[in-house]
Amino acid sequence: MATPHINANFGDFANVVLMPGDPLRAKWMADTFLHDVKMVTSVRNIYGYTGLTKNGKKISIMASGMGQPSIGIYSYELFSKYGVDMIIRVGTCGGYQQNINLYDVIIASAASTDSNWVHQYGLNGHYSACADYDLLETAVNVARSKKVNLHVGNVLSSDIFYDADKDGWKKWQDIGVLCVEMEAFALYCNAAKLRKKALCILTVSDSFVVEGELTSEQRQAGLTRMMEIGIETAEKFAK
Ligand code: HPA
């Protein structure tokens, strides 16, 4: 069995999949956090791995690529063809608010978007894309136990990284959106439509309002910490 974008067999994925954007980060996560790892898919170098955590829980890690079309494809195929129950995106974002510092962790309880993703559903209004509450509550508790600077709220999933409208982001800031990334909205919609569970956990890698830059060590430490939150959350739901 295979889908157009995944060449794994049914049963190769665990019920929970952690999803970074970058395929090499997926490999690094599998090498760092899992043992007895098997690579289960590699179409277009979008690598997917299944293995055991240090606590013996079976989980999978697979890259999403960048943007909503990409995560939309992989999450749809995982949910609908591979029996995956939940996907936890672990990624980076650009902070919009003054109280959000580089290196903070943001958990997206909801996602807004400038994309046309929901057009396909023909809805007679505006859809609110939400995280699964069980995953959200668990991840928030895990993050709090690690004493990270945590923000929970609405994020913007934008289709545009290099925006011709240089001030457009200020309106999202003004309405209280925490940060911008490029995938959560489509992931949450796919999960809702297919009656599955999804969550997005982010590290603030840059900011539209706070000065400064992360050193490469801080960046790596921030990513590692976020992935630990993702892994510990995933372990609580692994079958
Ligand atoms: N925009 C969109 N996605 C991002 C950003 C950003 O500024 N930073 C990290 N991911």
Side-chain angles (χ1 to χ4, degrees), residues 16-22 25 29 62-68 71 75 79 86-94 106-108 135 139 155-157 179-188 197-203 226-227 229-230:
V16 190
V17 178
L18 278 173
M19 200 162 240
D22 178 355
R25 197 160 286 151
M29 285 176 73
M62 179 174 162
S64 69
M66 284 187 286
Q68 299 190 72
I71 199 165
S75 61
F79 281 147
M86 26 198 126
I87 296 178
I88 304 172
R89 162 166 153 73
V90 280
T92 58
C93 65
I106 294 179
I107 301 183
L135 281 177
V155 308
L156 173 65
S157 301
C179 66
V180 59
E181 54 85 65
M182 305 187 81
E183 290 85 13
F185 188 92
L187 173 63
Y188 287 3
K197 293 173 180 281
L199 183 68
C200 174
I201 307 174
L202 301 161
T203 297
M226 169 184 60
M227 287 161 188
I229 296 169

Side-chain angles (χ1 to χ4, degrees), residues 4-239:
H5 308 95
I6 300 175
N7 60 356
N9 292 312
F10 189 86
D12 279 350
F13 286 98
N15 67 317
V16 190
V17 178
L18 278 173
M19 200 162 240
D22 178 355
L24 291 180
R25 197 160 286 151
K27 179 178 182 332
W28 180 84
M29 285 176 73
D31 288 344
T32 307
F33 296 110
L34 302 183
H35 60 89
D36 293 303
V37 179
K38 183 179 163 204
M39 185 197 269
V40 293
T41 183
S42 61
V43 179
R44 289 174 181 249
N45 292 328
I46 292 285
Y47 305 132
Y49 304 89
T50 298
L52 298 175
T53 67
K54 66 176 193 284
N55 298 312
K57 303 284 186 183
K58 183 178 162 191
I59 66 168
S60 296
I61 299 172
M62 179 174 162
S64 69
M66 284 187 286
Q68 299 190 72
S70 189
I71 199 165
I73 288 169
Y74 296 111
S75 61
Y76 188 91
E77 291 181 9
L78 289 173
F79 281 147
S80 68
K81 307 289 183 203
Y82 285 97
V84 168
D85 297 325
M86 26 198 126
I87 296 178
I88 304 172
R89 162 166 153 73
V90 280
T92 58
C93 65
Y96 275 174
Q97 305 293 335
Q98 200 67 52
N99 67 329
I100 294 178
N101 286 310
L102 297 176
Y103 197 66
D104 286 0
V105 173
I106 294 179
I107 301 183
S109 53
S112 299
T113 195
D114 55 17
S115 101
N116 210 15
W117 188 266
V118 289
H119 178 76
Q120 62 180 309
Y121 308 127
L123 299 169
N124 184 20
H126 298 277
Y127 180 71
S128 299
C130 301
D132 173 77
Y133 187 75
D134 292 339
L135 281 177
L136 175 66
E137 186 181 33
T138 302
V140 167
N141 288 337
V142 169
R144 290 215 197 288
S145 75
K146 295 187 180 301
K147 310 234 177 305
V148 302
N149 273 349
L150 175 68
H151 311 267
V152 182
N154 201 349
V155 308
L156 173 65
S157 301
S158 179
D159 278 351
I160 305 165
F161 190 89
Y162 296 107
D163 198 334
D165 179 357
K166 295 292 172 225
D167 289 330
W169 66 273
K170 291 181 181 165
K171 293 180 182 165
W172 294 103
Q173 177 197 49
D174 187 53
I175 202 165
V177 164
L178 302 182
C179 66
V180 59
E181 54 85 65
M182 305 187 81
E183 290 85 13
F185 188 92
L187 173 63
Y188 287 3
C189 288
N190 275 351
K193 188 84 172 108
L194 297 166
R195 303 294 190 274
K196 302 282 185 169
K197 293 173 180 281
L199 183 68
C200 174
I201 307 174
L202 301 161
T203 297
V204 181
S205 60
D206 48 84
S207 173
F208 288 65
V209 285
V210 176
E211 301 281 326
E213 249 177 62
L214 292 181
T215 63
S216 57
E217 289 78 21
Q218 284 173 320
R219 200 182 164 85
Q220 187 54 50
L223 289 168
T224 302
R225 205 180 44 168
M226 169 184 60
M227 287 161 188
E228 285 167 357
I229 296 169
I231 299 256
E232 282 182 40
T233 303
E235 280 185 318
K236 299 200 191 293
F237 293 89
K239 278 185 184 153

